[in-house]
Amino acid sequence: ASVMLKFFCISFLALGAGLALIASAGLVAVLLDSSGLPLVSFSAVILALTFASLAGMIGIIGLARSVPENPNLAKETPSSPDWRSSIQHLSGLTTYLGVPLGHLLGPWITWLIWRRQAPWLDTNGRAALNFALTISIFYVSCLILVFFFIGFILLGLLMVFHIWVLVRNAWRASVNLPARYPLSINFLR
């Protein structure tokens, strides 16, 4: 059953990544307005981005919850700041570099790589991933509201909020303070 669950979650994650790539290509086609390309409707791109984010969220939540918490790691803080904690928080910014679902994949991958190496890396990674999943919910809501124009304004505000919170928590990690993500839902405890 565990193998089937992982296969199901990986399938959703792959579906989300594929839809995000298709939506990104469609967005480029809409913005470039190339005459040689087939006409892509803006609403189709928005719907593809919405479903990509939802599929990616389902896959990542399922895969992350299937990873048991490591009880061997004591809940301690490092004696000096660890650069990897800051990278875990900043990895959510990869979406602004053009990586489809980068806001989800960055924190998830860094958490998977470093979670067993130190307890504070596991804690910071879980916090960053919880915030990434929460931002995805806000992102999907804004994408739906794009059809009523208010979504464009909300997407802009969400983008500024997202960048500000990630940079702030990367700084907090660089000076050995615990992460504080406002409005974050605790998907992973």
Side-chain angles (χ1 to χ4, degrees), residues 63-76 111-112 115-127 130 186-189:
L63 288 171
R65 283 191 169 204
S66 69
V67 174
E69 193 170 347
N70 193 350
N72 296 334
L73 293 176
K75 299 294 181 193
E76 59 189 48
W111 174 67
L112 279 180
R115 68 185 167 85
R116 289 195 176 121
Q117 295 178 8
W120 57 87
L121 292 174
D122 184 44
T123 302
N124 278 296
R126 284 178 187 271
N130 281 331
N186 228 0
F187 291 100
L188 309 173
R189 301 193 192 288

Side-chain angles (χ1 to χ4, degrees), residues 112-187:
L112 279 180
I113 292 171
W114 292 326
R115 68 185 167 85
R116 289 195 176 121
Q117 295 178 8
W120 57 87
L121 292 174
D122 184 44
T123 302
N124 278 296
R126 284 178 187 271
L129 188 52
N130 281 331
F131 183 67
L133 292 164
T134 304
I135 280 293
S136 292
I137 293 171
F138 297 149
Y139 175 67
V140 167
S141 303
C142 290
L143 283 175
I144 292 170
L145 292 173
V146 159
F147 295 112
F148 304 105
F149 189 71
I150 188 74
F152 288 113
I153 297 167
L154 293 175
L155 274 173
L157 292 173
L158 181 62
M159 195 168 85
V160 169
F161 174 73
H162 186 228
I163 292 170
W164 175 71
V165 170
L166 290 180
V167 170
R168 183 176 140 260
N169 278 298
W171 172 80
R172 290 179 64 81
S174 74
V175 293
N176 250 1
L177 293 173
R180 285 200 188 135
Y181 284 104
L183 307 175
S184 186
I185 300 170
N186 228 0
F187 291 100

Side-chain angles (χ1 to χ4, degrees), residues 4-121:
M4 194 63 171
L5 177 66
K6 284 186 180 181
F7 174 75
F8 180 74
C9 293
I10 289 170
S11 298
F12 264 93
L13 186 57
L15 173 67
L19 280 173
L21 282 171
I22 291 169
S24 298
L27 186 61
V28 168
V30 166
L31 293 176
L32 293 179
D33 193 29
S34 300
S35 58
L37 295 173
L39 181 64
V40 178
S41 75
F42 185 71
S43 58
V45 170
I46 296 298
L47 288 174
L49 284 172
T50 302
F51 287 122
S53 191
L54 289 173
M57 283 175 53
I58 290 169
I60 287 177
I61 289 173
L63 288 171
R65 283 191 169 204
S66 69
V67 174
E69 193 170 347
N70 193 350
N72 296 334
L73 293 176
K75 299 294 181 193
E76 59 189 48
T77 58
S79 56
S80 63
D82 191 348
W83 62 272
R84 295 174 295 182
S85 296
S86 295
I87 295 296
Q88 285 180 316
H89 297 289
L90 292 175
S91 64
L93 296 175
T94 57
T95 196
Y96 302 112
L97 299 174
V99 176
L101 297 180
H103 66 287
L104 284 171
L105 294 176
W108 180 60
I109 290 170
T110 58
W111 174 67
L112 279 180
I113 292 171
W114 292 326
R115 68 185 167 85
R116 289 195 176 121
Q117 295 178 8
W120 57 87
L121 292 174

